[in-house]
């Protein structure tokens, strides 16, 4: 098969001819139709994940996928050969198996059946970003009229979080770079704040009594996250999707948490798209032969929405 993989830490990922993967116990072999990029994939491709995960070369890159089942590993139930599926690769314990390939072997527990109206392009973009966004929105629990500030609103997680919070009736404040206002308002943001300026001062001036909730998709640094949490009123909630809360459960009267992708959200996300209540903001697609360029563009450009690699 063709796959985007790292051969070593010395060079970037390349499209290589590699042996087909095999569905191990608890895994499903999938012929991939589409797979979207996430920030984690760029981190892995740059070799930065070696501080906390071993790499087994050649290491195929990619976490999200959508495609069709080719084979079932031992112990797998609930799926059939030929069935369309989507989701994530799952936790493999090492950087080795990935989805930017013609074939992939995700864990069965990390995928779900794809509803027929849902395209592989959309389904292949839902796993990590959509699942993380739904976890984050559930963590802050907005209701009708709640003010929710989303930092990193134009990215994959943010573009889903805007819509999911708005569906609950929240008043969404989206952080944007000037020029991106239209992108987020079309997704359901009620107002924007320029992240190239002083976000803290601007939000304080608009909401002197504090906002109800915060979703942060940008700041891994605990101090930066805590600074944003100070914008939330006592009794409000804040969550980080990249670990900014650390081990804390409360900061200054605000309940805080970390949120991540959860396969349990896959079917619900798919249903919302089929119902026309949620959309995937795909801004660019790349054929597999140009997958290395896709990773480079994600890393070096101002990425808005989702970038997707297609295998067809």
């Amino acid at each position: 098969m063709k796959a985007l993989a790292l051969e070593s830490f010395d060079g970037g990922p390349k499209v290589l001819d590699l042996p087909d993967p095999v569905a191990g116990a608890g895994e499903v072999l999938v012929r991939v139709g589409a797979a979207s990029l996430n920030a984690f994939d760029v981190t892995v491709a740059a070799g930065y994940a070696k501080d906390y995960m071993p790499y087994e070369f050649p290491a195929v890159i990619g976490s999200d996928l959508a495609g069709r089942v080719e084979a079932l590993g031992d112990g797998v139930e609930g799926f059939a050969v030929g069935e369309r599926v989507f989701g994530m690769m799952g936790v493999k314990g090492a950087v080795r198996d990935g989805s930017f390939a013609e074939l992939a072997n995700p864990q069965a527990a990390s995928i779900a059946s794809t509803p027929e109206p849902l395209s592989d392009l959309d389904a292949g973009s839902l796993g990590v970003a959509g699942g993380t966004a739904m976890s984050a929105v559930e963590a802050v629990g907005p209701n009708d009229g709640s003010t929710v500030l989303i930092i990193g609103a134009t990215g994959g997680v943010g573009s889903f979080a805007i819509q999911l919070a708005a569906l609950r009736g929240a008043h969404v404040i989206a952080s944007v770079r000037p020029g991106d206002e239209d992108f987020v308002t079309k997704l359901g943001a009620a107002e924007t704040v320029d992240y190239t300026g002083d976000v803290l001062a601007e939000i304080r001036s608009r909401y002197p009594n504090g906002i109800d909730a915060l979703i942060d998709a940008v700041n891994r640094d605990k101090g930066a996250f805590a600074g944003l949490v100070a914008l939330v009123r006592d009794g409000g909630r804040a969550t980080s999707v990249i670990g900014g809360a650390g081990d804390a459960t409360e900061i200054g009267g605000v309940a805080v948490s970390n949120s991540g992708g959860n396969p349990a959200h896959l079917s619900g996300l798919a249903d919302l798209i089929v119902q026309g209540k949620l959309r995937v903001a795909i801004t660019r697609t790349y054929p597999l032969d140009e997958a290395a360029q896709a990773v480079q563009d994600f890393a070096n450009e101002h990425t808005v929405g989702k970038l997707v690699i297609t295998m067809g």
Side-chain angles (χ1 to χ4, degrees):
M1 69 168 183
K2 287 185 176 181
L4 184 71
L6 284 175
E7 295 180 280
S8 70
F9 291 122
D10 296 331
K14 300 174 183 176
V15 177
L16 306 173
D17 287 314
L18 297 176
D20 292 351
V22 175
E27 296 179 344
V28 175
L29 184 65
V30 176
R31 183 160 296 277
V32 182
S36 73
L37 281 87
N38 296 285
F40 176 73
D41 304 320
V42 176
T43 298
V44 169
Y48 297 149
K50 64 185 177 184
D51 292 338
Y52 53 89
M53 289 178 70
Y55 281 63
E56 297 177 13
F57 300 113
V60 181
I61 309 301
S63 334
D64 279 341
L65 80 160
R68 199 172 291 276
V69 175
E70 292 252 317
L72 304 175
D74 288 344
V76 174
E77 297 178 352
F79 295 104
V81 172
E83 181 180 0
R84 293 180 63 224
V85 294
F86 76 106
M88 300 168 280
M89 291 299 296
V91 179
K92 294 275 189 163
V95 178
R96 176 186 64 248
D97 304 325
S99 61
F100 299 162
E102 292 175 320
L103 291 165
N105 54 339
Q107 294 178 333
S110 295
I111 60 173
S113 180
T114 307
E116 275 312 313
L118 188 62
S119 70
D120 278 353
L121 275 179
D122 283 351
S125 304
L126 281 177
V128 172
T132 301
M134 187 169 274
S135 293
V137 171
E138 287 188 349
V140 299
N143 50 39
D144 200 27
S146 295
T147 49
V148 181
L149 172 62
I150 300 177
I151 302 295
T154 55
V157 174
S159 65
F160 286 119
I162 290 170
Q163 298 176 78
L164 293 168
L167 278 173
R168 289 177 170 234
H171 178 98
V172 177
I173 311 156
S175 75
V176 298
R177 190 169 76 171
D180 291 336
E181 294 88 353
D182 193 48
F183 175 80
V184 296
T185 53
K186 284 182 176 177
L187 293 175
E191 62 179 301
T192 63
V193 59
D194 178 1
Y195 69 65
T196 66
D198 190 336
V199 172
L200 297 179
E202 180 62 27
I203 296 299
R204 282 196 190 100
S205 70
R206 296 187 202 177
Y207 296 93
N209 295 322
I211 56 175
D212 296 311
L214 164 75
I215 295 172
D216 186 357
V218 173
N219 297 288
R220 193 178 303 276
D221 178 76
K222 296 175 185 177
F225 176 69
L228 288 164
V229 172
L231 297 171
V232 182
R233 62 170 176 78
D234 283 357
R237 299 179 184 178
T239 192
S240 167
V241 305
I242 51 175
D247 296 326
T249 57
E250 187 173 329
I251 298 176
V254 177
V256 300
S257 63
N258 294 309
S259 298
N262 185 342
H265 293 318
L266 292 173
S267 293
L269 289 163
D271 289 344
L272 287 173
I273 292 181
V274 171
Q275 294 164 16
K277 296 179 179 179
L278 183 71
R279 72 179 179 91
V280 184
I282 296 172
T283 53
R284 206 178 316 172
T285 63
Y286 302 75
L288 180 57
D289 287 342
E290 297 175 15
Q293 184 64 50
V295 172
Q296 188 173 336
D297 289 350
F298 191 108
N300 297 331
E301 296 181 2
H302 171 60
T303 301
V304 173
K306 295 293 292 181
L307 307 184
V308 183
I309 297 168
T310 58
M311 312 304 164

